[in-house]
Every structure is written in structure tokens, then in C-alpha cells.
Amino acid sequence: MLFNSLDFVLLLGTVLALYGFLDRRRQNYLLIVASYVFYGFWNWRFLSLVFAAGLVDYTAGRGIAAAKTPRGRRAWVICSIAFNLGILAYFKYLGFFLESAVELLRFLGVSASAPVLEIVLPVGISFFTFQSMSYIFDVYRRKVPAVTSFPDYLLYVSFFPQLAAGPIERADHLLVQFQRDRKVTPDWFYRGLLLLLWGLFKKVGVADNLGVYVDAVYNNSGEHGGLSLLLATYLFAFQIYCDFSGYSDMAVGMARLLGLDMMKNFKMPYFSESPQEFWRRWHVSLSTWFRDYVYIPLGGNRGSTLHVVGATMIVFLASGLWHGANWRFVVWGGLHGVYLIAQRQLGVARSPASGARRWLRIFVTFQLVSLAWVFFRASSVSEALTSLATIATDPGELFFSRAMVNGLVCLALLVAIEGVVQPRYFDEWLVERRPATQLAFAVVVLFAIVLLGQQQGGQFIYFQF
């Protein structure tokens, strides 16, 4: 069920119509039912998986709190990690690991073959497993108490606005809100609507239009020259940003309609002056997850240069693999790891810049990020390398399409708005403007969605992760 579908509009409308008449406990039950209806639209058989993730980690959290010894506490943590990583390994990585092992054996001269596996990947599995594990880690560190209400925890794991593609929320931010009374104020509701509208514009106006062009080029990369591939790469950078941040804006907006607050997952990342700053602005919930639960436990910035380099590469290679069971994602993550290591060793962008120097840094950072996007978007590492070689040596003719023009018009509107309001969030900036400015914004964005938007757009890119 997509946010920009009639089915979802009916589901959200039903929830909002009932929500205000219920007390906190019944509101939670309503949201659990809505969340399971939302997820069941993709594949009802995987509802048991979401439920199991909630049950296992709720039990593990209570077990950690009740354990009398450090050994007992660690045993519960290990059980939780084994379950969550186990279902990730089976559903997402089993085929990849088998194929990689077979390729290695063949390289060594050993004849081998892998069985054909038809495992369906549950939508959002990487998101709800990581969110659930963060709760277990925080309970173990005594950062949060173990929750005593199973429905509250079940809702934390399955909350429908962020179930399929995040943000990956922490228990001390989202779970605690399910444990107390909530009141939707007119201002909060209004700002939620603004974010919903803005996220919808990013998705159907920018991402889906640009996606038509990007798919036409990358799905037939051998038939296009370097200019088309280069343009498709730049447009993919904005497609994936608007697709993912559009989802996140809509998720945060929907939470506000329900009197709940969720973190902002994107902070205008293409205005970053360095690779390190990019990861402070891009997919913030994932980058902070790896920072808090992987990088810092590995020692972080403490220790020798070799130790810091190793910890950084582990984090980014794992981040790449988190995105998908394919070596192209590993290369994508590895490139970003190399960027950060090089920046740290060279001492680049340690002090703020202004004027032309700042924009030069932004330009260079965007080029580095776009280079990595080639591996993310291509179907394989070899195809990515071939595309890069074509970009460098064979310009060819530039391919155009109507969807590209529509997407560029919407992208120009996006850049104009975010360029004016940055570094603030646009909704924070907009609510301080006069009513006439807010009305003009709403009218322009609505017209762009209706007249230029791809009404038959596909699912969100990050649903596959």
C-alpha cells in the first residue's frame, strides 16, 4: 500500500476519523490494527514476522531487566541479535552468500553450483529489525527501561507511517510517546499537512518523473552514450533523494496528524560541504544507528589511525550491505568509507567556508556522491564500471523525454524553495510566513502535483531494503 494511493487515503482517513474519540490505550490498538492492515496489503503472510519481531524483543527486553547477572543480561541480548540478524540473513542475504561462495569456489577451480532460491523479501525488514535491536541495546545499556506493555512495544515495531522505510526511531523518542496521552493541536495538525503535501510533491513531482528518465537510460545502458548516462546519474541523485526524503516527510507529517513526533531523516544533504557532513544530513537515522551501535563500540575515533580506518570501513561496508545483497552496494558503501578516511587524513573542510569557497566544496562533494550513486543504481559492479567508462570516453547523443522535462521543472521548484530556506526545514520556515505566502505555496505545489506529477508512479525505492 503506497502513501500516494487511494487505499492508503481511505486507511488514513478512517484512522483520523476515529482517533480523536479514543483514549490512549484504544488509540494504540487502533494504530496497531491500521499498521497490520497497511503491511498486510503487500503480503499478509509476513504479518507473523512483524509480530514475531515484536514478541521476541519485548520478551528479551523484559529478560534483560529481570536478569540478576551480567552474563544473564548478555544472554538475552545475544538471543535478540541472533533472531533479528537470523531473519535478515535468511530473507535478504542467503541467496547472495550462496552465490558468492559458488563464485569463489569456481575462481579456485572447484566445480560448484548453488540451489535456486525463491525467497520473497519482506518489505521494510531492514528497518523494523534495526529499530527493534536499538531498543534491546538501549535496555542493555540501561538507557531506557524495559517496556511492560506488550501492545505499546508492538506498536513501536509496527507503526505504519515509518514501518516500510523508516526513520529508524529510538525507544527513548518514539516508544515513550506511545506510553503517554497525546493531544493533536491545530498547529501540529497544520504542520503535518504541510509536510504531507511537500513529501507528496517530492515523490510524484520530482522522483517519479526523474525515475522514468533514469530507468530508460540505466535499464538500457549499453544503448546510451556518456552524456545521457551522466545526466541520468545526476538525475538519479535527485530521484533517490526526493523519493526517500519524500517518504520520510510524509511519515513525519502523518505522525504529527496523530499528535506524535518523529525525527527528521534528511537535512538537505546536497548542501553538504564534505562527505562527513553529507552523512550527518543523509538518512540520519541509519547513520546515527551505525555510529552509536557499531562505530563507537568498535572504538570510534579512539586509538591508532589504522584502528580508526578499520572501524570506518567496517561501518560503511556494513551500511552498503544493509542496503542490499549485491556487491554494487558494498562498493557504494566502501567508496563513502574511503571518502571519509581521505577527508580525515587530509584535514579537508575542518573549518567553515563562505562565498565561492563554500559552493566549490558543495560542488565537489556532490560529484563524489554522484560517482558512488553509479554503483548504487547500476544492476552490477561491471555495468557500473562500463557506464563510467562510457561517460569518460563516449559522449554520444543526449537522450530527452517528456517526463524528464516535467521532473526538471519540479526539481527547479524544489531547489528554489530549499535554497531559500536552508539550513532550516521548509515547514519551520513556512509557518512563520504570512498566510498569503503559505496559500501561494500550497497552490503552486498542488498545481505541480496535478499537472506535472507522475500519477502512475512506482513504489518507494527504499521499500526494497
Side-chain angles (χ1 to χ4, degrees):
M1 185 185 295
L2 300 177
F3 286 172
N4 52 322
S5 67
L6 179 60
D7 292 331
F8 184 79
V9 172
L10 294 175
L11 175 65
L12 181 61
T14 301
V15 170
L16 293 176
L18 299 174
Y19 191 78
F21 297 100
L22 305 175
D23 59 24
R24 181 196 67 83
R25 183 170 61 88
R26 291 182 174 84
Q27 284 177 341
N28 287 357
Y29 288 140
L30 172 65
L31 293 178
I32 291 172
V33 172
S35 299
Y36 275 64
V37 170
F38 171 77
Y39 198 80
F41 256 70
W42 277 292
N43 195 322
W44 62 269
R45 292 172 296 178
F46 289 130
L47 291 175
S48 59
L49 186 64
V50 179
F51 181 84
L55 178 61
V56 168
D57 284 339
Y58 169 77
T59 304
R62 296 296 300 272
I64 293 170
K68 303 298 184 183
T69 64
R71 184 177 181 180
R73 290 165 55 82
R74 287 193 297 270
W76 280 109
V77 174
I78 292 171
C79 288
S80 170
I81 293 175
F83 173 80
N84 285 289
L85 295 186
I87 61 174
L88 268 178
Y90 174 77
F91 285 104
K92 192 168 183 176
Y93 302 111
L94 181 58
F96 170 70
F97 289 147
L98 288 176
E99 291 175 5
S100 298
V102 168
E103 290 177 3
L104 177 60
L105 289 173
R106 288 175 179 171
F107 177 78
L108 297 174
V110 179
S111 178
S113 62
V116 177
L117 302 176
E118 296 183 359
I119 301 174
V120 179
L121 180 66
V123 171
I125 186 173
S126 296
F127 288 92
F128 66 75
T129 52
F130 267 44
Q131 180 158 307
S132 200
M133 283 195 292
S134 73
Y135 163 77
I136 292 299
F137 295 148
D138 287 347
V139 171
Y140 177 74
R141 296 173 174 180
R142 294 188 171 90
K143 184 178 179 181
V144 298
V147 64
T148 57
S149 168
F150 181 54
D152 289 353
Y153 188 75
L154 201 61
L155 178 56
Y156 168 69
V157 174
S158 63
F159 185 44
F160 71 91
Q162 46 100 221
L163 172 60
I168 304 170
E169 285 283 353
R170 306 292 178 88
D172 61 355
H173 183 229
L174 183 60
L175 179 56
V176 294
Q177 296 181 65
F178 296 138
Q179 297 174 312
R180 58 178 183 241
D181 293 337
R182 305 175 291 270
K183 183 178 180 180
V184 184
T185 64
D187 176 68
W188 205 240
F189 194 90
Y190 174 63
R191 293 179 66 171
L193 288 177
L194 287 178
L195 272 177
L196 267 174
L197 181 62
W198 187 234
L200 183 63
F201 165 72
K202 285 182 176 180
K203 169 61 177 171
V204 303
V206 183
D208 287 346
N209 272 313
L210 297 183
V212 173
Y213 182 86
V214 172
D215 289 347
V217 174
Y218 264 96
N219 291 350
N220 305 279
S221 59
E223 301 174 7
H224 292 277
L227 288 176
S228 297
L229 284 165
L230 182 62
L231 178 59
T233 300
Y234 287 141
L235 294 186
F236 177 70
F238 289 103
Q239 178 200 354
I240 194 170
Y241 165 65
C242 289
D243 192 278
F244 195 12
S245 70
Y247 175 95
S248 296
D249 287 343
M250 285 189 273
V252 174
M254 278 182 276
R256 288 183 177 180
L257 300 182
L258 301 168
L260 296 161
D261 177 56
M262 292 201 308
M263 68 178 296
K264 295 285 185 66
N265 210 15
F266 292 85
K267 302 178 179 180
M268 301 182 189
Y270 293 143
F271 286 100
S272 301
E273 297 182 40
S274 67
Q276 185 178 54
E277 184 183 355
F278 175 80
W279 280 102
R280 291 172 180 164
R281 292 168 171 254
W282 177 275
H283 202 174
V284 177
S285 63
L286 180 68
S287 60
T288 54
W289 196 99
F290 274 107
R291 179 198 66 194
D292 294 343
Y293 303 121
V294 180
Y295 185 70
I296 292 177
L298 286 174
N301 293 329
R302 301 186 302 273
S304 66
T305 298
L306 183 61
H307 180 91
V308 173
V309 168
T312 301
M313 289 306 298
I314 288 172
V315 164
F316 278 95
L317 292 174
S319 175
L321 196 58
W322 178 92
H323 282 82
N326 195 298
W327 286 110
R328 60 192 175 93
F329 293 116
V330 177
V331 173
W332 171 79
L335 277 174
H336 279 281
V338 170
Y339 294 162
L340 263 72
I341 291 168
Q343 178 190 337
R344 182 179 292 114
Q345 296 305 311
L346 296 174
V348 177
R350 287 186 175 177
S351 58
S354 59
R357 188 179 179 187
R358 174 176 178 266
W359 286 106
L360 178 60
R361 287 182 177 181
I362 291 172
F363 174 80
V364 172
T365 300
F366 181 71
Q367 303 310 307
L368 293 172
V369 171
S370 297
L371 171 63
W373 283 136
V374 175
F375 292 90
F376 196 100
R377 179 57 185 82
S379 61
S380 65
V381 174
S382 61
E383 182 182 301
L385 293 173
T386 300
S387 297
L388 288 171
T390 302
I391 291 172
T393 62
D394 181 17
E397 295 183 0
L398 185 60
F399 169 67
F400 288 94
S401 74
R402 174 64 182 273
M404 179 195 74
V405 174
N406 290 347
L408 287 175
V409 171
C410 293
L411 179 59
L413 177 59
L414 170 81
V415 172
I417 292 174
E418 292 202 339
V420 168
V421 306
Q422 64 95 20
R424 301 184 66 189
Y425 293 112
F426 100 97
D427 61 308
E428 297 172 351
W429 175 87
L430 187 61
V431 293
E432 298 176 357
R433 308 280 78 80
R434 295 179 299 177
T437 302
Q438 298 176 17
L439 178 62
F441 162 82
V443 170
V444 170
V445 171
L446 279 172
F447 267 94
I449 291 172
V450 173
L451 298 178
L452 301 175
Q454 279 285 327
Q455 305 307 321
Q456 302 298 323
Q459 72 173 20
F460 292 88
I461 293 173
Y462 267 69
F463 280 13
Q464 64 185 298
F465 305 135

